[in-house]
Amino acid sequence: MEVKNIAMAYRLEFRPIVLKQLILDCDIGQAELAEAAGVKRPTVNLTVNRGYFPPTVPSYKKRIEQFLAGNQAAMQWLLARGMKIGDIWKPLGRDLRKSLPRGTSQRSNRTRKQKAMVPGDPAEITVSWEVEMITQEAMRHFRIFRNPFIDDIQKDGDIFMSEEH
């Protein structure tokens, strides 16, 4: 079934293709494939999960195949399974909704917050690891005078009242 509208693609049945297993096993990001194919990441997501191919990018499949042909891990993965590059477009036959890429735990460890570089005596410095939920600029814009994520709502000033209210 050819889908002309990307909004309609989200209604397609969840049916992952071999490409999904390959990118999971070889730790290839959908963003990398999107950049190589000249599309946005959600388009690649629709491709690997629902078999959608954008009709506005006729060279889409070819670009992805060229990217994978240049990836040694992907080519070894295909070779180990007796597959050719064209086989990545076939239905996988199993659901991979909760599957994570192989290097996820390593990637998460690399991107965790690192200690802040603060001048002064380390023994006297207290570093807050709390994530800033709202910026000072946003607080000024919404006329909020203290952090709304601390101590819940205790007075009228804790609630944003727009001009429409």
Side-chain angles (χ1 to χ4, degrees):
M1 175 177 142
E2 187 177 325
V3 177
K4 303 254 185 224
N5 183 340
I6 197 162
M8 290 177 63
Y10 286 98
R11 295 188 199 133
L12 291 173
E13 180 183 346
F14 187 85
R15 189 177 297 164
I17 60 175
V18 172
L19 176 61
K20 179 163 185 160
Q21 186 70 61
L22 182 146
I23 65 175
L24 287 171
D25 289 350
C26 296
D27 198 25
I28 299 170
Q30 290 182 10
E32 290 177 76
L33 284 177
E35 185 178 328
V39 296
K40 296 191 186 283
R41 195 202 54 78
T43 303
V44 172
N45 187 278
L46 284 170
T47 299
V48 300
N49 288 316
R50 300 176 190 277
Y52 168 78
F53 302 101
T56 57
V57 186
S59 61
Y60 178 71
K61 283 184 175 182
K62 182 180 176 186
R63 290 178 183 179
I64 289 179
E65 288 174 359
Q66 286 174 340
F67 174 83
L68 294 174
N71 184 304
Q72 187 177 3
M75 294 311 294
Q76 287 176 351
W77 187 92
L78 288 168
L79 190 62
R81 286 156 183 78
M83 299 174 125
K84 296 179 182 151
I85 197 88
D87 294 334
I88 62 173
W89 310 113
K90 293 180 180 176
L92 187 59
R94 63 182 176 275
D95 192 335
L96 297 173
R97 288 180 213 237
K98 298 192 186 228
S99 298
L100 296 172
R102 217 172 243 178
T104 299
S105 62
Q106 295 164 349
R107 189 169 37 250
S108 297
N109 289 336
R110 282 195 309 260
T111 58
R112 281 213 164 72
K113 272 193 165 183
Q114 303 209 354
K115 284 193 172 185
M117 296 291 288
V118 183
D121 182 11
E124 297 176 12
I125 297 173
T126 313
V127 178
S128 171
W129 292 103
E130 188 172 316
V131 176
E132 184 178 22
M133 300 296 282
I134 187 168
T135 64
Q136 292 295 323
E137 184 180 321
M139 288 175 66
R140 275 193 301 275
H141 174 77
F142 291 107
R143 295 183 221 126
I144 301 171
F145 301 105
R146 63 182 190 80
N147 191 334
F149 300 106
I150 297 175
D151 295 335
D152 258 344
I153 300 169
Q154 296 187 358
K155 57 185 178 184
D156 290 343
D158 293 340
I159 301 171
F160 170 68
M161 298 297 282
S162 69
E163 301 301 323
E164 289 91 25
H165 291 110

